[in-house]
Amino acid sequence: MLKKTLNLKVSIKTLLIVIYLCLIFALLFGWSVKHIMMGGERFGNWKYLILDLASIPTTAKRFFENKDHGLLVKNHKFKDSLAWQIDLDKYKLDENKGYLLISRFDGDKSRSLVELFDINDEKIIHTWSPNIKNINSKSKISKKYLDFEKNLNINRYRMQHPLLLKNGSIIFQGNSPLTRINICSKLNWTLDGIFHHSNELGNNNSLWTPHRFRPSSITTGSSLIANKESFQDDALSQISHSGEILFNKSITQILIDNNLEYLIYPTGEWGEDPLHLNDIQPILKDGKYWKSGDVFFSLRNINSIFLYRPNNNKIIWYKDGPWRRQHDIDIFSDEEISIFDNNVNFDLSNVDGVNQIILYNFKNDNIRLYQEASLKDYSIKTTFEGLHSIFPNGDLMLEETENGRIVMFANDGSLKWQYINKSKNGDVYRMNWSRFLDGQKYFDIVKNINDKKNVCN
């Protein structure tokens, strides 16, 4: 009987159908088990095997999303738009001149790079394009936490939110080790760890950036954590410009220490990424409602903003909503902060209309929308990322990250300039968090870059 069975001829078509059905069954089984586990009690060690099986649908979803490097903007809205659109007459009359530090995925070169662009002269001053493979080779992080070959190769790495220093070096990350390269794109140092999202200038030649402990660092309140290996344990990190860790504290632990652990799983349903830290805004001088050395931070997945004092591990203030899936907190005045509100709809699938810039007032607990009409007129909508800057004269710059666009609105709401990250064939690619650099403040730095960049050739 066995011999007859082995001798049966099976067509390739039939075999493929069987394999396809088995795959579908595995995906559905993993999905259902994971949802049962998320709503159930803690089990023995065998639960980790089940959770690994449950990750199959997520892995498959990410695989299909990552075609075209995962950085190509599909069905973009800029078919008839130029890459650069600048109202020079309006721009040259304004005192708010400067440079744009553009971080983007270059579709023609199939890699990320950083460009220093002179808006006034409409030219690229300098480009940073480091050896990503060399940077990755310095890391000792386990492949189960970071797959450098698959997710951080040269065609996938994002040089996120670069910070330009006085000597022309930049510091950046991309859900990867934090890295500093010099003006010639040569490696200065790399700090091993999983750093992500924003990099913001702090006091005393430091920067603040989100960091992730893998495995989880939680030692108290650990009953909250169903799987220390997969739990996204985000942290506030302060790093010196020379790559030394000055402060590194788990957000989850901060909430537990401040008797706010109920915010971590407000529905009681377990998930790998309950909080999702995406921006840290250090405070450089005292105000009415905060002190120098404090930081604001944004937790996307619970729609909440926090004011935190690192020197005594105290949360001074926090507020959930009305922003939804927000990014990028800035200090607007001595009593107001501005927030990039992604304004995502209730099922988290898309933006509810357009993004919003919300001003929150600490004095009267009121909010107001900033340049609401401009965001509607230009249909600014990015679901998962985005940043903004409001300047002293009232101008507003926005990065529509997922759609590959940066815009600058004048204080009257009109468009000053627009940049779209287009390749030569008209495709549009994502941005990687860019910055406007004030012309007066950065004039000497840019001059230094111009003087020294020839030594790289």
Side-chain angles (χ1 to χ4, degrees):
M1 182 69 179
L2 177 61
K3 185 176 180 180
K4 289 181 178 181
T5 303
L6 293 174
N7 287 332
L8 285 176
K9 293 182 178 180
V10 180
S11 70
I12 294 177
K13 181 178 179 180
T14 302
L15 180 61
L16 290 175
I17 290 173
V18 172
I19 292 173
Y20 179 76
L21 291 174
C22 289
L23 178 61
I24 294 296
F25 174 80
L27 293 174
L28 292 174
F29 172 76
W31 180 86
S32 62
V33 168
K34 185 169 186 177
H35 280 71
I36 291 170
M37 290 299 297
M38 287 169 65
E41 299 176 356
R42 287 175 61 86
F43 291 83
N45 290 335
W46 56 269
K47 71 179 181 298
Y48 298 126
L49 175 60
I50 294 177
L51 287 168
D52 287 340
L53 290 172
S55 69
I56 293 174
T58 302
T59 302
K61 179 174 181 288
R62 287 174 179 170
F63 173 80
F64 288 110
E65 286 179 344
N66 287 337
K67 291 189 299 183
D68 301 308
H69 316 296
L71 299 171
L72 175 68
V73 178
K74 304 291 182 67
N75 303 315
H76 67 79
K77 52 190 176 182
F78 305 120
K79 180 179 179 181
D80 300 320
S81 301
L82 297 174
W84 271 104
Q85 177 184 341
I86 304 176
D87 188 335
L88 286 175
D89 291 335
K90 182 177 295 183
Y91 183 75
K92 287 180 178 178
L93 288 173
D94 187 36
E95 73 277 7
N96 195 26
K97 297 186 178 69
Y99 313 96
L100 194 60
L101 192 65
I102 303 172
S103 184
R104 67 187 183 92
F105 186 87
D106 187 317
D108 296 313
K109 297 180 179 178
S110 294
R111 62 159 298 157
S112 288
L113 46 77
V114 175
E115 296 168 331
L116 181 60
F117 186 82
D118 188 325
I119 303 172
N120 193 53
D121 291 337
E122 297 183 78
K123 68 177 183 181
I124 296 173
I125 297 171
H126 189 61
T127 301
W128 291 263
S129 182
N131 185 329
I132 298 300
K133 187 174 183 179
N134 179 50
I135 292 171
N136 288 344
S137 70
K138 308 300 180 184
S139 176
K140 293 181 173 56
I141 297 175
S142 169
K143 186 177 181 178
K144 68 181 178 179
Y145 299 133
L146 278 186
D147 190 334
F148 288 93
E149 293 182 5
K150 179 182 177 182
N151 297 320
L152 290 171
N153 60 60
I154 190 170
N155 302 128
R156 294 290 312 283
Y157 191 101
R158 299 179 66 194
M159 297 174 65
Q160 202 158 16
H161 211 205
L163 187 66
L164 177 62
L165 304 183
K166 291 180 180 179
N167 64 356
S169 61
I170 60 172
I171 300 175
F172 60 91
Q173 35 65 23
N175 199 39
S176 68
L178 190 68
T179 300
R180 175 171 170 170
I181 58 174
N182 67 15
I183 191 174
C184 299
S185 299
K186 302 299 182 184
L187 183 63
N188 287 143
W189 52 257
T190 181
L191 180 60
D192 219 6
I194 303 175
F195 297 90
H196 55 94
H197 288 86
S198 65
N199 299 309
E200 295 289 356
L201 189 66
N203 286 318
N204 303 319
N205 293 319
S206 71
L207 67 111
W208 286 84
T209 185
H211 174 227
R212 184 170 297 138
F213 291 113
R214 299 297 301 271
S216 171
S217 68
I218 304 303
T219 57
T220 60
S222 57
S223 60
L224 294 166
I225 312 306
N227 186 343
K228 288 175 72 69
E229 287 293 318
S230 63
F231 181 74
Q232 304 293 302
D233 187 10
D234 282 333
L236 302 175
S237 292
Q238 184 183 21
I239 313 295
S240 75
H241 290 178
S242 59
E244 299 171 302
I245 296 176
L246 306 176
F247 183 88
N248 204 18
K249 181 80 172 177
S250 163
I251 290 287
T252 301
Q253 194 64 57
I254 290 171
L255 295 180
I256 293 171
D257 294 345
N258 283 269
N259 298 315
L260 295 172
E261 61 186 62
Y262 60 87
L263 296 175
I264 301 168
Y265 289 112
T267 65
E269 185 175 278
W270 186 83
E272 294 178 354
D273 187 18
L275 301 175
H276 196 92
L277 174 65
N278 60 28
D279 184 42
I280 306 169
Q281 182 60 52
I283 297 171
L284 305 182
K285 61 180 182 179
D286 291 348
K288 292 181 180 179
Y289 301 94
W290 48 75
K291 294 181 179 179
S292 176
D294 292 351
V295 297
F296 284 104
F297 62 85
S298 163
L299 300 183
R300 186 196 71 177
N301 287 0
I302 58 171
N303 308 313
S304 296
I305 302 293
F306 293 79
L307 174 60
Y308 174 67
R309 189 156 294 159
N311 65 8
N312 62 8
N313 191 34
K314 294 297 181 183
I315 290 177
I316 309 303
W317 166 93
Y318 78 94
K319 183 172 176 61
D320 56 334
W323 37 81
R324 289 176 288 174
R325 314 295 275 191
Q326 76 291 332
H327 287 72
D328 193 26
I329 313 155
D330 287 342
I331 297 172
F332 182 73
S333 69
D334 62 355
E335 60 185 36
E336 285 183 296
I337 56 174
S338 60
I339 299 156
F340 188 100
D341 176 19
N342 291 77
N343 194 30
V344 175
N345 57 24
F346 71 93
D347 65 359
L348 310 181
S349 63
N350 210 333
V351 177
D352 187 7
V354 296
N355 301 140
Q356 300 180 140
I357 303 302
I358 293 181
L359 298 183
Y360 172 77
N361 191 299
F362 278 78
K363 182 177 181 179
N364 54 29
D365 193 32
N366 285 342
I367 67 162
R368 58 190 174 101
L369 298 184
Y370 193 79
Q371 292 215 22
E372 180 182 10
S374 300
L375 275 71
K376 289 181 178 178
D377 290 344
Y378 285 86
S379 188
I380 305 296
K381 52 174 68 179
T382 180
T383 306
F384 299 109
E385 298 187 52
L387 51 77
H388 78 295
S389 295
I390 303 175
F391 301 96
N393 68 345
D395 287 0
L396 170 65
M397 190 189 88
L398 298 161
E399 181 183 284
E400 194 181 2
T401 308
E402 289 173 67
N403 288 320
R405 174 165 66 164
I406 309 174
V407 297
M408 176 75 88
F409 295 119
N411 51 22
D412 64 0
S414 60
L415 184 70
K416 277 190 173 181
W417 54 259
Q418 172 178 270
Y419 172 71
I420 299 167
N421 183 23
K422 277 193 165 185
S423 60
K424 290 178 181 178
N425 67 3
D427 285 340
V428 176
Y429 289 83
R430 289 171 66 124
M431 304 301 300
N432 296 328
W433 294 36
S434 304
R435 301 176 190 271
F436 181 86
L437 307 177
D438 177 81
Q440 291 184 338
K441 181 178 179 181
Y442 281 86
F443 178 81
D444 290 338
I445 297 175
V446 173
K447 183 178 183 302
N448 182 49
I449 291 172
N450 269 321
D451 292 342
K452 291 184 176 181
K453 65 182 182 181
N454 291 331
V455 304
C456 302
N457 298 328

